[in-house]
Amino acid sequence: MSQFDLVVIGSGPGGYVAAIKAGQLGLKTALVEKEPALGGTCLNVGCIPSKALLHSTETWRHVQHSKHHGIVGADKLTFDVVTMMTNKDKVVAQLNKGVEFLVSKRGVEIVRGLGRLGKAGQVLVRSTSGERILETKNVLIATGSVPIELPFMKFDGETVISSDQGIALKTVPRSLVVVGAGAIGLELGSVWARLGAQVTVVEMLPTIGGPAYDADIAKVAQSALEKQGIKFELGAKVTGVKKNAAGTALTAERDGKQLEFPADKILVAVGRKANTTGLGAAEAGLKLDERGRVVIDSHFLTSLPNVYAIGDVVTGPMLAHKAEEEGVAVVENLAGKSGHVNYNVIPGVIYTDPEVACVGISEAEAKTKGIEVKIGKFQLQANGRAIATDGTTGFIKVIAHAQSDKVLGVQMVAKGASEMIAAACAHMEYGGSAEDVARTCFAHPTVSESFKEAAMAVSKSSIHSL
Ligand code: NAI
């Protein structure tokens, strides 16, 4: 007889949420984690610590630009990086404890050590105290991802760093070159630029933020970040690192021209890759794709019977909330329910100032797919709350189906976009039209009213713009 109904390998947002759901639904569950703290990349070295640093540095920047609020003498203030890091660590530790509490209270056994697939129905867990064999009916692989290393510039943890080090620097680098204008590059670039580092972001694509965002959105975000002192070198492909007596420089190439960017630190943020290290995938016969991701079917089942996989280690956007949804769905299926993930409504957020957020398809994607759409836009400059709160940079864009008026996508650059995008997700989840949004009552004054106005603009009926 099996000891467990489910053994989850990996305690990131995918794994720990799946374990909690399994406990809730009465499955006898174990959660295997190789690190001392639960929570995975997101909680320990990703989403959460970076949000703490972004909050600290945003507070600093706001105070420095607050003369018009009557706050004087800000130029005499100093910033203590070590205290900021201590605060970040406190935030992480509090959440580590919270996750462990919730998981344990749901009756889930936490097993510490490196989990490996054994023979059918077994997970082997190796730790300093030896190897333990867990007998289980089902296995869920939720082992996440690790930063991609460029082959010609390996991480050395000192000069060439990943986000793991980028969130833990003890001092502000004089110059920081960031490779990659995705979420990590823009967020950590913002953190260190706000503290005075000369930040240059080198990106091979012509726009920032990645392909999910329309060019008009990316442009406004770029210009806001440029005003904060970040330099962008777009359309430039990184070629290597040059080290000599004068220091270190990143080398790149654009239109056949060689470029050089001197840097104290080079943060490589060119994406992440699936992590199956130590899982025993080959020995167990677990099928991986050409990018090393675990292959799954539409029910998260891998090539092995009763072995499932979710989150960053499988296909799809590498986002904590996507992993969470998948974790819930797979466990609901195991418990005889009908788990389901709506991949059309997975929001994306970049937590810069202003924030950048999207859900559904972009205008460009609609064009590529031949979907006829109507667009509604609303500039924050015309929103009362935005004017009263120094938040007029940006706009909101609604992409609706030309015939049915159904909202297919929403994009925004706005202070508070990370919270506002939730309203767009809810409308889209229920198949709402632009008119449905336009006829919903939003509190006044809120920046969210700009979403309503953008929805009105789809039918050219915006009240606060012409
Ligand atoms: P990313 O895939 O989002 O962006 C990487 C960028 O690097 C792309 O724009 C790409 O064109 C560029 N790039 C790749 N190779 C290059 C080269 N050789 N030279 C110049 N540019 C190059 O990856 P990122 O920012 O590292 O994030 C990793 C994952 O973590 C992503 O899936 C991201 O969505 C997720 N994440 C999400 C966050 C959020 O939701 N706020 C925060 C942090 C990470």
Side-chain angles (χ1 to χ4, degrees), residues 314-348:
V314 302
T315 186
M318 290 186 169
L319 297 168
H321 42 282
K322 175 258 195 188
E324 290 182 35
E325 295 301 317
E326 290 180 336
V328 169
V330 74
V331 170
E332 283 180 337
N333 288 340
L334 288 177
K337 296 174 174 287
S338 317
H340 172 72
V341 178
N342 179 3
Y343 289 99
N344 295 323
V345 186
I346 306 271

Side-chain angles (χ1 to χ4, degrees), residues 273-297:
K273 61 175 185 202
N275 171 38
T276 52
T277 308
L279 191 61
E283 299 86 328
L286 182 73
K287 203 169 157 201
L288 306 182
D289 69 11
E290 70 295 344
R291 288 164 67 179
R293 298 175 296 199
V294 178
V295 174
I296 49 165
D297 69 9

Side-chain angles (χ1 to χ4, degrees), residues 7 9 32 115-118 121-125 132-134 136 139:
V7 170
I9 308 177
V32 180
R116 186 169 101 247
L117 297 170
Q122 283 188 349
V123 170
L124 314 175
V125 184
R132 183 174 159 194
I133 300 175
L134 307 177
T136 182
V139 178

Side-chain angles (χ1 to χ4, degrees), residues 233-252:
E233 297 287 348
L234 304 181
K237 196 159 188 285
V238 167
T239 51
V241 179
K242 217 170 159 180
K243 281 187 189 180
N244 56 29
T248 307
L250 180 89
T251 57

Side-chain angles (χ1 to χ4, degrees), residues 176-180 185-186 188-189 199-203 265-267 269:
L176 173 72
V177 170
V178 177
V179 186
L186 297 179
L188 291 184
V199 175
T200 306
V201 179
V202 182
E203 164 63 53
K265 303 252 179 225
I266 299 169
L267 172 70

Side-chain angles (χ1 to χ4, degrees), residues 51 150 179-185 187 202-205 236-238 269-272 318-319 349-351:
K51 296 313 91 69
L150 291 172
V179 186
I184 294 183
E187 291 180 9
V202 182
E203 164 63 53
M204 69 185 178
L205 297 177
K237 196 159 188 285
V238 167
V270 296
R272 298 178 61 87
M318 290 186 169
L319 297 168
V349 178
I350 305 175
Y351 296 78

